[in-house]
Amino acid sequence: MSPTRRMAVLSIATSLATLALKSVAFGMTGSIGLMSDALEALVNLAAGLLALTALSIAERPADDGHAFGHEKAEYFSTGVEAVLILIAAVGIVWAAAGRLAHPVPLHGLGPGLVVAAVAGVLNLITARLMLRAAATHDSITLEADARHLLADVWTSAGVIAGLLLVLARPGWAVADPLIAIAVGVHICWPGVSLLRRSVDGLMDRSLPPDEVEAAQTIIRSQLPPGADYAELRTRKAGTRRFLEFKLRVPGSQSVAAAHQLCDRLEVLLGRRLANALVTIHVEPAEPEHAPHPPPAGT
């Protein structure tokens, strides 16, 4: 199993454990804040399963039906995960608003908070491991899943803080639904960010400006006298980067020399931009002034 898929399995295992812990904490206390925390753990579990599926598909080699590979599966997973985060946020706010209108006394807060804290620590450890793996393997799916787990950590921290206040001041029970509403609003931001990145990937957004500038610098540094380039286009699918451009060389240059230049450019661009697939179209630099011969019989 690949390192990225191992991280996805770890995410699923952590989500199962935290879902169980948070459900127990909610049952012990009746807190709407802890219920919202358990709801997000359920979403984490679904997101982890999606991530594992997407990574399994993305790792498949290119075939006749998918000549450019399957890496874009990661963007579908990230988009669905973003939607799940936003749905969870709406559900949390809705449930908390209901609790504001119809308060319910809380009980067993001390033990419940300890259980919730353990679940938060598990999420934090797993999220940090996944972020490290996401950076190493350039995986948007792992990063999305890790960001989701980190959002859950913030949820747990906010809920615990609110319930500690209620524990200290039992008359302030209204803090429970209020902190749940704040948490629901807060986790909308990573959801929107992930959704935007998913759409950018599916719409073939260009590589980041610093990577495009690096590619341009490499190309210009290798151009012989009289040569030029044009129409550099870039995009990214999962971990794969795609670059294509026109290389204009003097018409007197041999095919072999132009081919060697292309090979050199591909190697240098691949060293600078990980997992890059470079496509170069060679054409003469001089404009063709000679008119085409008329069709036969005219």
Side-chain angles (χ1 to χ4, degrees):
M1 184 180 292
S2 67
T4 53
R5 291 173 66 190
R6 281 199 297 270
M7 285 291 105
V9 171
L10 175 62
S11 171
I12 293 170
T14 301
S15 296
L16 283 170
T18 56
L19 176 59
L21 289 170
K22 292 177 180 181
S23 297
V24 168
F26 169 59
M28 294 171 65
T29 64
S31 164
I32 190 67
L34 289 175
M35 189 209 75
S36 68
D37 213 9
L39 175 62
E40 190 170 0
L42 181 61
V43 175
N44 287 344
L45 176 59
L49 292 169
L50 279 170
L52 180 59
T53 302
L55 288 169
S56 299
I57 295 173
E59 290 176 3
R60 294 177 184 172
D63 53 38
D64 291 340
H66 304 84
F68 290 97
H70 300 79
E71 286 89 351
K72 278 196 175 183
E74 292 199 38
Y75 294 123
F76 288 104
S77 168
T78 303
V80 173
E81 185 167 347
V83 172
L84 289 175
I85 292 175
L86 295 176
I87 291 174
V90 171
I92 289 169
V93 172
W94 181 269
R99 181 62 64 88
L100 274 175
H102 305 285
V104 174
L106 304 180
H107 48 82
L109 282 180
L113 290 178
V114 172
V115 174
V118 172
V121 171
L122 286 177
N123 274 336
L124 179 61
I125 294 172
T126 301
R128 290 196 173 278
L129 290 173
M130 292 180 68
L131 281 176
R132 189 180 307 164
T136 301
H137 302 286
D138 196 17
S139 172
I140 186 176
T141 297
L142 279 186
E143 181 183 350
D145 208 8
R147 296 292 179 193
H148 195 172
L149 288 179
L150 280 179
D152 197 6
V153 172
W154 281 105
T155 300
S156 298
V159 169
I160 290 172
L163 293 180
L164 283 173
L165 181 62
V166 175
L167 187 63
R169 305 287 188 185
W172 291 7
V174 70
D176 178 34
L178 287 178
I179 198 69
I181 290 174
V183 167
V185 173
H186 172 76
I187 66 174
C188 284
W189 299 117
V192 171
S193 175
L194 290 175
L195 186 60
R196 184 179 66 248
R197 291 182 62 186
S198 174
V199 171
D200 283 346
L202 291 173
M203 295 296 292
D204 289 334
R205 184 178 180 86
S206 297
L207 294 178
D210 60 319
E211 295 188 4
V212 174
E213 184 177 354
Q216 292 172 332
T217 300
I218 290 172
I219 296 170
R220 285 194 294 264
S221 70
Q222 299 300 312
L223 293 177
D228 197 3
Y229 77 99
E231 299 180 25
L232 173 63
R233 297 188 295 181
T234 66
R235 64 185 178 92
K236 190 178 181 186
T239 61
R240 180 70 63 88
R241 291 169 172 80
F242 294 87
L243 301 91
E244 58 181 87
F245 58 93
K246 291 181 179 180
L247 179 62
R248 296 171 176 165
V249 298
S252 59
Q253 190 169 29
S254 68
V255 173
H259 182 70
Q260 289 175 357
L261 175 57
C262 290
D263 286 346
R264 189 163 63 251
L265 286 169
E266 290 173 5
V267 170
L268 293 174
L269 289 169
R271 288 177 182 171
R272 176 59 179 82
L273 303 174
N275 207 11
L277 179 63
V278 183
T279 302
I280 305 174
H281 174 69
V282 180
E283 60 181 31
E286 299 85 356
E288 298 183 8
H289 297 292
H292 294 287
T298 59

